Amino acid sequence: MTEYTTKLKQAGLKVTLPRLKILEILSQGEGQHATAEDIYKILLTRDEDIGVATIYRVLTQCEQAGLVKRHQFEGGRAVFEIAEGDHHDHIICVRCGEVKELNDEITEARHRKIAQQAGFKMAEHNMTLYGLCKKCRQLPPDK
């Protein structure tokens, strides 16, 4: 947890147990791309007494400090992840909502080339793909 203690201090935020616990969850597999409600459920399974309002407040503070990134995908769900500085895109299952990161240098190079051909130097971009994950493709179609 010392990594997040240092990051919180550098961001000018007080080091508190809720902040440390939430950052810890977001950095782990089960918490990557988690909603505030997902984080709350994970905390409950660990017998942690941190309310949903506190989770939202911590996420907002950490987002403003540049420690956490918020993604608002189609469907209105806001998911959060640790802001690590590296760019990546996302692919989302339209049935279960699973979010996976996409890291593809060929696609990134193509984005830069498209921007350059249009006379732009790309500052930022966001690409989100939608589909059905392997698990959901094996389920019967929704009615």
Side-chain angles (χ1 to χ4, degrees), residues 5 9 16 33 35 41-42 47 51 56-57 59 62 66-68 71 73 87-88 90 92 101 120 122 127 132 134 142:
T5 299
K9 287 179 181 178
T16 64
H33 304 106
T35 65
K41 289 174 188 171
I42 292 167
D47 291 326
Y56 275 108
R57 187 171 54 255
L59 289 170
C62 288
L67 301 173
V68 169
H71 297 284
F73 298 123
H87 172 78
H88 57 268
H90 296 93
I92 302 169
E101 292 181 0
F120 283 77
M122 186 170 62
M127 183 175 80
L132 287 172
K134 186 176 182 177
D142 286 340

Side-chain angles (χ1 to χ4, degrees), residues 101-117:
E101 292 181 0
L102 298 175
N103 294 297
D104 182 61
E105 187 48 44
I106 294 170
T107 303
E108 296 304 316
R110 183 71 181 130
H111 289 156
R112 288 189 295 274
K113 186 174 181 179
I114 290 168
Q116 182 183 25
Q117 288 172 340

Side-chain angles (χ1 to χ4, degrees), residues 47-116:
D47 291 326
E48 298 287 347
D49 188 23
I50 301 173
V52 177
T54 299
I55 294 167
Y56 275 108
R57 187 171 54 255
V58 166
L59 289 170
T60 300
Q61 292 165 344
C62 288
E63 179 187 13
Q64 291 169 347
L67 301 173
V68 169
K69 229 177 160 180
R70 175 192 311 252
H71 297 284
Q72 194 80 37
F73 298 123
E74 280 185 32
R77 282 179 11 135
V79 297
F80 300 86
E81 66 180 340
I82 296 290
E84 294 178 334
D86 67 325
H87 172 78
H88 57 268
D89 297 306
H90 296 93
I91 187 164
I92 302 169
C93 180
V94 295
R95 183 178 279 177
C96 71
E98 178 183 10
V99 179
K100 293 276 189 181
E101 292 181 0
L102 298 175
N103 294 297
D104 182 61
E105 187 48 44
I106 294 170
T107 303
E108 296 304 316
R110 183 71 181 130
H111 289 156
R112 288 189 295 274
K113 186 174 181 179
I114 290 168
Q116 182 183 25

Side-chain angles (χ1 to χ4, degrees), residues 5 8-9 11-17 19-20 61:
T5 299
L8 286 166
K9 287 179 181 178
L13 294 173
K14 185 176 175 186
V15 178
T16 64
L17 196 57
R19 287 180 179 145
L20 290 172
Q61 292 165 344

Side-chain angles (χ1 to χ4, degrees), residues 30-44:
E30 66 183 324
Q32 290 178 339
H33 304 106
T35 65
E37 291 80 13
D38 293 335
I39 294 168
Y40 178 69
K41 289 174 188 171
I42 292 167
L43 288 167
L44 282 179

